Amino acid sequence: MTETQLHQPANLIPELCQSFYRLGWVTGTGGGICIRQGDKVYIAPSGVQKERIKPEHIFVLPYPQSSPSPHTDRVFLRRPPLNLKESACTPLFWNSFDLRNAGSCIHTHSQHAVMATLLWKGPVFTISHQMIKGVRIGGTGAALSYLDTLVIPIIENTPFEEDLRDSMAEAMTKYPDAAGVLVRRHGVYVWGTDWEKAKTQTECLDYLFEIGVKMQLAGLPTVLNPIETTAHLTRLNECFETTMAHQRDDSFHDGYELLSKGTMISPNQQRAEEIILDTGQDVFVLAPTGMGKLPAIMAKTGVTLVISPLCEVENLRRKGVNVVAWTAETDKDERQEIEQDLKSRWPRIRLLYSAWIRSIAREILDNRLHPNIRRDVQKPQPESIGPLYLRVRYPVNLESNARMQDIFDYITLLYQRRNRASSGIVYCRAKVTCDALASFLRGKGLNAKPYHRGISAGILRQTLRSWSAGGLGEPGGVDLVVATVAFGLGIDKADVRYIIHYDLPASFEGYYQETGRAGRDGQVTRALVLIGASLTDCPIQAIKVYPLLLEDAARVRELVSTSNPNRLQDGFDGPSPTQRATSSLDELIQYAENVTTCRHITICQYFGEIVDSNDPEVVEAYCNDMCDACKYPQKTQARAKVLTPHSAIIQREPPKTAQSIPEKKVPIISGQNRQPSVLDDNKRGYPGDSDNALRGHKKAKISVARPLTQETMPFQSEKRLSKPFKPPTKMPKGREPEIVEDEPSVDDVVTTTREVPDGYSESLANSSTSPGNPEPSQVRLQIDALSQQQRAESSGDTTVPLELPGFQVQLENPTSSKVQLTPRMAAFTKLWRGLSSLDLDKSIESAHCKKLRNNAYTASPESASLMPYLCLVLQKDIIIKQTEWLKQSTTWLKDIWAQIQGWMKILLKT
Ligand SMILES: CSCCC(=O)C(=O)COP(=O)(O)O
Ligand SMILES: [Zn+2]
């Protein structure tokens, strides 16, 4: 045979097929090679013994011709006379010609390729620091360098080879640098400018698949390049930049740009980012508060749906991230714009914030996207979460000046101990308290400013700016904001050293979120709640029989229980949002009252974790003397005596009135980890209390004598902490400990005035005073025992079906312009609890699930206490058809997803 004849494709193909057969690349069931020479394409027959193909069996087709679809007639220049059919790969080979101008394409059923697709579960196979020099960029361009990272897309298999055409074309478009496309559980297509280059690259890739598989199985990392310097990503980015140039807004940055601007990436973020990039799969991240959204925008494309009670839009926008929020306040036009963008091929939006997303989420969940869920729970990295010293203070003197002085003393002591001013937040329930306290503290020389919705936006911005830059005590600066709950959404200041709650917060979630704003830099931080105060407008009779704490709680309960009476059930069986809110509040009261259980543990228990608080080792693991209950048990218990019903009785006769009040039922929470609470005692109602006395009046001033058994603690310093800690992660040993100061003394007289709280809807203020609505005291009296279900929820009983609140009632209710923080948080917690309980659900028990649960939960108790912050990452550009997803998924994955969908549907009331 002459040289020319040897290189005649019809002669080459049989010869090559023989050697490919010996390599195990092709068999009678498939695999092969095609060669294009100018305007002719040579293709082998289908379903024959590949090592026995002869030149006369080769088909010749003219090129170009519209992609030869299996369902349309193909044009042939030559058809072998036998009853043969051209390779089923023809339309796939055609992709390489049309999209890469290839001269040849090889398809193998190599087991190395198949194994690679099984071990790399996402849409790409990646490897670096191997012999990838034999692979060309895009299969036909320049050779890759040793320093590059090789990326080969993986598409899902279909029953018929021809049906792979479109997904292969899609992958080739999406990964323009790739020299081949892997087909899961099937093999690989590799192309080159001619058959030699196609063959060399197939050999090179096969080698890389083989070694990659071996490395994976040996537990060795296959990509060593730092993610941000990975060359293929740079090129991918360039490619996407080109593709999306007309759609993208250059004023926005992605994760890499932020990194290049010096944004730090924490270990937890890195982990999430690796999963997103390595697997390329849709990812669900349940992350602790403050982890940061950077991982979500590390992938060059894709939309992240952030389910969070916090909306950090402004903050992220300032950083240049294209982020939008979908809230009750998003108007119709904005919604349309968001929807349009999300439905476009390359959405510009990267982060979509919402606590409840109705139509979008429904569409995503029902029609568009069915993410695989990979459970990869990591212990939070100690260095990413700072130690938080928690304490509850039981002030005896509730007079407002005394309390303000108390706070001043606390802060100045803190400054003295640190030898410098520090950043902090004092949360107050009412705007007027913020104003008064800020001015009090300012008058005493502290850089304090008020922050609430009664202040103009311009001044608030200025305060926020100064506070964000402050913390050093500089003249004219702001070290401390005295704020309502309006402050904090979106703040991201690393060095907040203390959070003080001047009033009892309205919910556990609120308390947790607010304290979570401190110590993001990992340094020791303090959180203090002052409880027992705010006897504003307090019914004297309530004080008589209830402890001071309960009185404060009663006021908050009244607020939360009446915060939006219109939101009551509409087709929902579960407890009303108001019930949920009061339940959360009760848990918070429990937190304050329970002076024998570690506070960190109480928090973890609230969020669903089962913790044996009697086991000293467990307690040490959770707290390590970083709360008052653990560090100073006797003192704390002594201080809390004031909270006991008997000690709190105020030695004063109630005013006599003719009208009597019906006996009060007090809610009982039977939480599984719960200690007995004063609230549990049903007998302790308001027996004999008078209506007038209970009703109270705005601006009423009440003087109350000091309870006889109250104890006043001396204002003294304490030893330095040896092992500071913040939940859920222990402070790493060896870190510089800080001093935790003791309480100042308090006085014994109360004179307070009722204030309208900020952070609650106007309807709240109206509802308690307008005709037809019950008076606050009556509302308080109407509190009923909690339903069975609510108790089950409170106890974390995951066998009880989880109900989600009816957000849509809020969203659709024209009278409700805003969804309040409290129900938002309650709903959010519900979803969070549900998701957290996934692995505990017996109905999805399987070996795999069990293993994951054991690894993730038993070995890592912290994982169950991941904070109420959900980040649902839905990478929109990776859309897996439902049928395919179901086929690939194991049963437990399907069940998990079904559950999430179920909750989301309830959440959205679809
Ligand atoms: C799902 S079709 C199976 C055939 C196959 O995998 C293939 O590679 C096509 O082989 P052919 O014999 O038609 O070249
Ligand atoms: Zn095949």
Side-chain angles (χ1 to χ4, degrees), residues 73-349:
D73 283 340
R74 287 168 186 161
V75 182
F76 292 91
L77 295 174
R78 178 180 191 275
R79 263 181 201 272
L82 301 168
N83 189 21
L84 292 174
K85 198 178 170 321
E86 74 280 14
S87 168
C89 304
T90 302
L92 298 130
F93 291 148
W94 227 260
N95 278 339
S96 73
F97 308 144
D98 286 349
L99 300 175
R100 292 285 189 276
N101 198 23
S104 176
C105 185
I106 296 171
H107 171 44
T108 85
H109 284 190
S110 151
Q111 289 193 6
H112 303 141
V114 174
M115 280 301 292
T117 68
L118 296 175
L119 290 172
W120 274 257
K121 295 181 173 30
V124 285
F125 166 88
T126 49
I127 197 162
S128 77
H129 292 76
Q130 285 296 336
M131 292 310 291
I132 61 176
K133 288 194 285 189
V135 183
R136 291 168 181 277
I137 297 170
T140 51
L144 287 173
S145 112
Y146 175 71
L147 297 174
D148 287 342
T149 301
L150 176 85
V151 178
I152 302 292
I154 305 172
I155 58 173
E156 303 307 323
N157 202 11
T158 57
F160 299 101
E161 191 114 12
E162 300 156 334
D163 296 335
L164 292 168
R165 181 187 66 177
D166 292 348
S167 51
M168 177 183 173
E170 206 175 297
M172 289 172 75
T173 311
K174 187 166 173 188
Y175 298 90
D177 286 358
V181 172
L182 282 157
V183 184
R184 191 146 4 245
R185 299 176 177 278
H186 182 155
V188 66
Y189 285 84
V190 186
W191 52 83
T193 43
D194 51 35
W195 69 267
E196 287 102 328
K197 293 200 177 71
K199 177 169 171 284
T200 317
Q201 293 194 94
T202 312
E203 286 157 357
C204 188
L205 284 176
D206 201 62
Y207 168 86
L208 293 168
F209 296 148
E210 183 180 9
I211 197 155
V213 165
K214 287 177 178 165
M215 287 170 78
Q216 272 271 6
L217 294 176
L220 300 168
T222 55
V223 177
L224 301 181
N225 282 336
I227 287 163
E228 61 273 26
T229 59
T230 303
H232 84 273
L233 286 171
T234 313
R235 276 195 298 277
L236 274 182
N237 290 350
E238 282 161 10
C239 167
F240 278 119
E241 292 302 336
T242 319
T243 319
M244 300 189 291
H246 63 291
Q247 301 210 32
R248 281 189 60 144
D249 184 337
D250 286 341
S251 61
F252 289 114
H253 305 303
D254 59 25
Y256 292 96
E257 284 159 313
L258 290 180
L259 279 177
S260 70
K261 282 171 187 282
T263 302
M264 298 297 287
I265 187 157
S266 69
N268 275 338
Q269 285 181 306
Q270 187 149 5
R271 183 76 195 122
E273 176 202 319
E274 278 164 15
I275 293 169
I276 290 166
L277 291 176
D278 281 2
T279 66
Q281 283 178 312
D282 303 319
V283 179
F284 173 85
V285 181
L286 174 62
T289 300
M291 187 189 92
K293 315 300 171 307
L294 197 59
I297 49 171
M298 292 309 283
K300 194 70 185 177
T301 58
V303 178
T304 298
L305 170 60
V306 183
I307 304 174
S308 166
L310 300 181
C311 192
E312 297 168 288
V313 168
E314 284 312 314
N315 193 26
L316 285 163
R317 280 226 180 104
R318 266 201 305 279
K319 288 184 177 167
V321 178
N322 196 342
V323 50
V324 292
W326 182 292
T327 67
E329 284 153 3
T330 312
D331 66 30
K332 210 173 139 215
D333 290 348
E334 261 181 285
R335 286 180 184 209
Q336 256 175 8
E337 218 175 283
I338 294 173
E339 279 196 63
Q340 258 170 16
D341 184 68
L342 292 179
K343 284 175 182 169
S344 68
R345 187 163 167 74
W346 302 108
R348 286 183 306 153
I349 296 170

Side-chain angles (χ1 to χ4, degrees), residues 784-853:
D784 208 340
L786 298 179
S787 69
Q788 179 88 24
Q789 182 170 358
Q790 190 178 357
R791 289 182 208 181
E793 284 169 17
S794 307
S795 70
D797 181 353
T798 53
T799 60
V800 176
L802 289 152
E803 290 291 334
L804 291 164
F807 303 115
Q808 79 298 336
V809 179
Q810 281 264 343
L811 287 173
E812 310 238 296
N813 184 350
T815 62
S816 167
S817 61
K818 289 177 198 157
V819 180
Q820 297 299 322
L821 192 65
T822 304
R824 265 200 280 164
M825 287 190 169
F828 177 79
T829 306
K830 180 71 77 173
L831 181 58
W832 173 83
R833 282 185 183 178
L835 290 166
S836 301
S837 70
L838 279 175
D839 282 354
L840 302 173
D841 188 337
K842 296 285 176 292
S843 69
I844 54 171
E845 188 74 29
S846 71
H848 195 170
C849 187
K850 202 169 176 179
K851 188 167 154 237
L852 286 166
R853 192 177 65 235

Side-chain angles (χ1 to χ4, degrees), residues 391-607:
R391 107 179 298 169
V392 175
R393 187 125 127 199
Y394 310 101
V396 179
N397 187 342
L398 301 174
E399 194 268 328
S400 60
N401 261 344
R403 297 185 65 213
M404 290 183 186
Q405 180 66 41
D406 191 14
I407 286 182
F408 171 76
D409 290 344
Y410 183 89
I411 295 169
T412 43
L413 182 66
L414 183 83
Y415 287 7
Q416 278 166 17
R417 296 275 163 81
R418 299 194 78 224
N419 216 9
R420 48 170 286 195
S422 309
S423 281
I425 308 171
V426 181
Y427 281 105
C428 303
R429 198 180 304 141
K431 291 182 250 185
V432 293
T433 318
C434 295
D435 292 337
L437 180 57
S439 103
F440 177 91
L441 297 174
R442 231 182 9 260
K444 289 193 164 268
L446 297 185
N447 287 342
K449 276 279 167 73
Y451 193 106
H452 54 73
R453 289 196 190 115
I455 298 170
S456 77
I459 294 180
L460 290 184
R461 266 199 301 277
Q462 211 179 326
T463 303
L464 182 58
R465 249 199 314 272
S466 308
W467 179 77
S468 301
L472 295 170
E474 304 217 322
V478 178
D479 301 321
L480 153 68
V481 282
V482 183
T484 61
V485 291
F487 184 75
L489 300 184
I491 63 160
D492 188 16
K493 184 164 167 55
D495 61 346
V496 181
R497 291 274 72 83
Y498 60 93
I499 304 282
I500 300 172
H501 282 88
Y502 183 85
D503 301 295
L504 181 67
S507 71
F508 212 114
E509 290 79 359
Y511 167 71
Y512 189 79
Q513 286 293 338
E514 282 142 26
T515 52
R517 281 164 198 146
R520 293 182 178 203
D521 57 1
Q523 299 300 310
V524 176
T525 301
R526 288 162 190 79
L528 172 76
V529 197
L530 293 173
I531 288 186
S534 290
L535 285 175
T536 54
D537 192 28
C538 176
I540 293 171
Q541 296 310 310
I543 300 171
K544 176 173 178 283
V545 263
Y546 273 77
L548 299 179
L549 163 63
L550 186 55
E551 186 284 325
D552 194 26
R555 292 195 69 249
V556 182
R557 181 192 309 286
E558 171 197 318
L559 298 175
V560 297
S561 66
T562 57
S563 62
N564 193 341
N566 297 329
R567 282 190 299 114
L568 288 175
Q569 321 301 332
D570 177 15
F572 282 85
D573 298 330
S576 70
T578 53
Q579 276 178 311
R580 277 184 283 271
T582 50
S583 164
S584 170
L585 172 65
D586 289 338
E587 295 285 344
L588 186 61
I589 295 165
Q590 162 67 10
Y591 169 85
E593 283 185 326
N594 185 348
V595 286
T596 52
T597 305
C598 162
R599 304 217 185 268
H600 295 92
I601 289 181
T602 309
I603 290 177
C604 293
Q605 286 174 336
Y606 175 76
F607 289 114

Side-chain angles (χ1 to χ4, degrees), residues 608-657:
E609 192 160 345
I610 297 162
V611 186
D612 180 2
S613 55
N614 296 319
D615 182 337
E617 271 184 29
V618 172
V619 176
E620 194 194 317
Y622 276 78
C623 180
N624 219 353
D625 282 353
M626 279 301 280
C627 78
D628 53 354
C630 290
K631 189 162 175 64
Y632 309 110
Q634 277 149 12
K635 277 192 210 170
T636 307
Q637 281 163 33
R639 286 165 190 168
K641 273 186 191 167
V642 72
L643 294 175
T644 63
H646 305 297
S647 66
I649 291 172
I650 291 169
Q651 305 300 303
R652 194 176 116 160
E653 281 297 304
K656 299 265 187 286
T657 61

